[in-house]
């Protein structure tokens, strides 16, 4: 084949490829690539973000599950080990999530799930939660008191704990995290309403998280009301006659 013929064939082939690429591009443009329909998608993690890149919803498996987000920046979590959903506010800060978990080893098992709602710039303040530890089950509504202080210092320490080089270093940082959170004053669970063991329970606590009033219907169907002091001692009990 002469050089002239080879050159002409090459130009012709390049022309065919160019026309094909233009046709594909025109087809994709006409089908509106910003809006697509799929019958099925398989992913390990799905990020829904705003125009500025801040996360709004993240759905993930255990391996790819994110850390802690504060104003759009991610920090490592020192102990998070689950899969589920995370939700974020306009600032790109985590405001709650959903989780579903189960572990099994030999004849021992645990299971848990929940949906949690965070106080602004703080930890969870309300949640619907289920827990099961080898048949010891509870399920219900929880409400917590949280301080007005920003959670950001604890998030930074959580990131440092996750990056610790030794278990001893991590334990020391976690101890400091607890000290900082405790220094913010009284906080804890104020309300639980649900099922614990075989009993239906409404438990009300003071600002220190100490139960002070307990409404209960036990496994036999007997209702009662208990008033407790600061140490948890029953100071008055009312039983149905």
């Amino acid at each position: 084949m002469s050089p002239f013929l080879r050159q002409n064939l090459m130009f012709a082939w390049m022309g065919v490829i160019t026309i094909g690429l233009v046709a594909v591009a025109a087809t994709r443009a006409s089908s509106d690539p910003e809006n697509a329909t799929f019958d099925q998608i398989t992913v390990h993690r799905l990020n829904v973000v705003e125009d500025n890149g801040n996360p709004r919803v993240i759905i993930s498996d255990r391996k790819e599950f994110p850390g802690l987000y504060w104003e759009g920046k991610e920090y490592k979590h020192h102990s998070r080990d689950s899969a589920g959903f995370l939700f974020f506010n306009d600032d790109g800060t985590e405001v709650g999530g959903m989780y579903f978990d189960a572990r099994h080893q030999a004849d021992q098992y645990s299971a848990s799930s929940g949906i949690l709602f965070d106080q602004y710039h703080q930890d969870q303040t309300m949640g619907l939660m289920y827990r099961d530890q080898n048949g010891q089950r509870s399920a219900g509504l929880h409400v917590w008191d949280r301080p007005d202080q920003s959670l950001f210092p604890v998030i930074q320490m959580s990131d440092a704990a996750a990056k610790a080089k030794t278990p001893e270093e991590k334990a020391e940082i976690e101890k400091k995290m607890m000290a900082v959170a405790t220094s913010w004053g009284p906080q804890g669970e104020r309300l639980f309403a649900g099922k614990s063991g075989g009993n239906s329970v409404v438990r009300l606590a003071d600002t220190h998280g100490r139960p002070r009033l307990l409404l209960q219907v036990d496994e036999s169907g007997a209702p009662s009301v208990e008033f407790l002091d600061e140490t948890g001692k029953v100071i008055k009990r009312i039983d149905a006659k």
Side-chain angles (χ1 to χ4, degrees):
M1 183 182 295
S2 69
F4 179 76
L5 182 57
R6 280 202 304 269
Q7 186 178 36
N8 284 343
L9 286 174
M10 181 181 69
F11 284 136
W13 178 241
M14 291 176 62
V16 170
I17 293 175
T18 301
I19 293 171
L21 291 174
V22 170
V24 170
T27 301
R28 288 180 59 85
S30 64
S31 64
D32 189 5
E34 293 185 357
N35 295 278
T37 300
F38 302 93
D39 291 327
Q40 187 177 117
I41 301 176
T42 300
V43 298
H44 292 287
R45 174 166 162 170
L46 179 64
N47 302 325
V48 179
V49 300
E50 297 288 0
D51 289 341
N52 62 4
N54 280 346
R56 201 68 198 221
V57 181
I58 295 178
I59 307 172
S60 178
D61 65 5
R62 186 186 303 277
K63 182 179 179 181
E64 299 295 331
F65 205 73
L68 296 158
Y69 274 85
W70 187 272
E71 295 184 350
K73 181 178 178 180
E74 183 177 4
Y75 298 83
K76 289 185 177 297
H77 196 292
H78 70 287
S79 63
R80 180 177 277 167
D81 182 24
S82 62
F85 296 66
L86 283 183
F87 305 110
F88 305 85
N89 63 16
D90 292 342
D91 300 330
T93 300
E94 182 180 330
V95 292
M98 292 191 294
Y99 64 93
F100 311 91
D101 202 7
R103 308 290 175 93
H104 186 273
Q105 186 173 8
D107 60 346
Q108 303 292 306
Y109 77 90
S110 64
S112 61
S113 59
I115 177 169
L116 300 169
F117 304 88
D118 294 351
Q119 180 175 305
Y120 180 68
H121 280 183
Q122 253 295 330
D123 209 345
Q124 66 248 23
T125 188
M126 183 174 70
L128 292 171
M129 302 172 66
Y130 154 72
R131 295 190 182 100
D132 189 342
Q133 187 71 41
N134 299 315
Q136 296 297 313
R137 303 182 185 94
S138 67
L141 170 68
H142 301 254
V143 176
W144 295 272
D145 257 349
R146 298 299 178 194
D148 292 330
Q149 281 85 352
S150 167
L151 193 63
F152 188 51
V154 170
I155 289 176
Q156 291 176 303
M157 296 173 78
S158 176
D159 184 78
K163 296 174 181 176
K165 293 181 172 56
T166 66
E168 293 77 16
E169 181 186 357
K170 181 179 180 182
E172 185 62 26
I173 297 172
E174 289 175 336
K175 183 179 178 181
K176 292 178 181 178
M177 289 170 58
M178 182 62 67
V180 170
T182 302
S183 71
W184 290 335
Q187 54 185 303
E189 185 180 84
R190 298 298 305 275
L191 164 71
F192 170 76
K195 180 177 179 292
S196 181
N199 303 327
S200 297
V201 176
V202 175
R203 184 173 60 241
L204 303 175
D206 60 22
T207 56
H208 293 271
R210 298 173 298 205
R212 303 301 297 272
L213 178 63
L214 182 66
L215 290 77
Q216 183 171 271
V217 178
D218 66 19
E219 291 179 285
S220 69
S224 64
V225 179
E226 293 182 347
F227 300 86
L228 302 91
D229 65 14
E230 294 179 354
T231 67
K233 180 182 177 181
V234 178
I235 56 177
K236 184 175 182 179
R237 179 182 172 98
I238 302 173
D239 293 294
K241 295 181 180 180

